[in-house]
Amino acid sequence: MTPSPLAIAVLISGSGSNLQALLDSRGHGIDYVISLVVSDQSDATGLERARQAGVATEVVSWSKFGSRSEFTEALCETAEASGADAIILAGFMRILSPIAMDHFPDAIINVHPALLPAFPGAHAVEAAIGHGVTLTGVTVHFVDEQVDHGPIILQEAVAVRPDDDAESLHARIQSVEHRVLPEVVSAFSRGELTVQGRYVRWNLTPREATIE
Ligand code: GRF
């Protein structure tokens, strides 16, 4: 019997271009289904992308809850009710409480626009430019109790050009994100990723860092 594909809930706050990459990759040898798209912002453009693709959407507004843990509990219950096995944070701009890890242990994945542990937080691209680095990139990692900190699944470098501003650099970073995030989610879906402490083992050939 063929095992059923992994169901993911994708959490977004804005444009949802990574969500679009996840939507577009379905059916091209990619082994997941998107059970739900959740946003904390009712006007997030990504919600319309989900509707266009016929995927269910929910809005869970931060302002309706008295604490981070209540907000997180509602998000996790909403995801679980959709049948999700895992959560993908794709530009979700709220910090989850640690109770999310009880609901989805080693099953929450985030995409971050820098080579962690450099430049965590909400302004990673601007911070990289401001620091004068010549190399930054993309990190896809499992989420743990700390912000932008969990075990790293994949990193890919992006060179900073002398004439880059945050917008031009972010555009090149995002083109990498759109390629690697569906790959990682699909590998996770096939059971190819194992977390061992800080390390994530790929039970196929591990990818090596490359420079775009
Ligand atoms: C991405 O660059 C991601 O790394 C960061 O937020 C951005 C979201 O972009 N966490 P989008 O909403 O997927 O277009």
Side-chain angles (χ1 to χ4, degrees):
M1 199 174 79
T2 315
S4 52
L6 185 91
I8 58 171
V10 183
L11 273 52
I12 61 163
S13 294
S15 125
S17 67
N18 279 285
L19 164 67
Q20 191 68 56
L22 289 166
L23 289 164
D24 292 345
S25 298
R26 295 171 304 164
H28 296 86
I30 298 279
D31 304 322
Y32 55 79
V33 295
I34 302 177
S35 63
L36 184 67
V37 171
V38 187
S39 178
D40 61 317
Q41 305 291 327
S42 59
D43 59 351
T45 311
L47 289 171
E48 188 50 35
R49 295 180 192 267
R51 289 185 204 110
Q52 291 283 336
V55 172
T57 62
E58 294 270 3
V59 174
V60 177
S61 297
W62 170 258
S63 59
K64 290 211 176 116
F65 299 91
S67 67
R68 188 177 307 284
S69 57
E70 285 171 41
F71 172 70
T72 304
E73 185 69 32
L75 279 174
C76 290
E77 286 176 7
T78 303
E80 284 163 350
S82 76
D85 307 299
I87 285 181
I88 311 302
L89 304 180
F92 187 65
M93 301 307 284
R94 299 279 178 191
I95 296 167
L96 298 178
S97 130
I99 60 163
M101 271 51 81
D102 299 333
H103 284 268
F104 292 93
D106 291 339
I108 305 177
I109 290 173
N110 182 44
V111 57
H112 183 76
L115 295 176
L116 293 171
F119 311 120
H123 304 289
V125 180
E126 292 82 353
I129 296 241
H131 198 87
V133 295
T134 57
L135 208 56
T136 183
V138 173
T139 302
V140 185
H141 66 97
F142 284 108
V143 171
D144 70 3
E145 288 76 6
Q146 297 177 51
V147 175
D148 295 333
H149 175 269
I152 291 168
I153 303 169
L154 177 151
Q155 290 187 301
E156 192 162 312
V158 174
V160 183
R161 296 176 184 157
D163 58 349
D164 262 330
D165 57 18
E167 192 181 344
S168 62
L169 178 57
H170 199 187
R172 290 205 311 290
I173 287 173
Q174 286 216 299
S175 73
V176 174
E177 292 180 341
H178 300 163
R179 173 166 47 77
V180 298
L181 183 61
E183 276 181 27
V184 166
V185 177
S186 193
F188 180 67
S189 172
R190 291 191 299 267
E192 292 174 6
L193 307 180
T194 309
V195 181
Q196 296 173 343
R198 284 288 320 157
Y199 294 91
V200 177
R201 307 288 176 204
W202 289 65
N203 63 16
L204 295 176
T205 311
R207 288 169 53 94
E208 293 182 4
T210 54
I211 300 177
E212 274 288 305

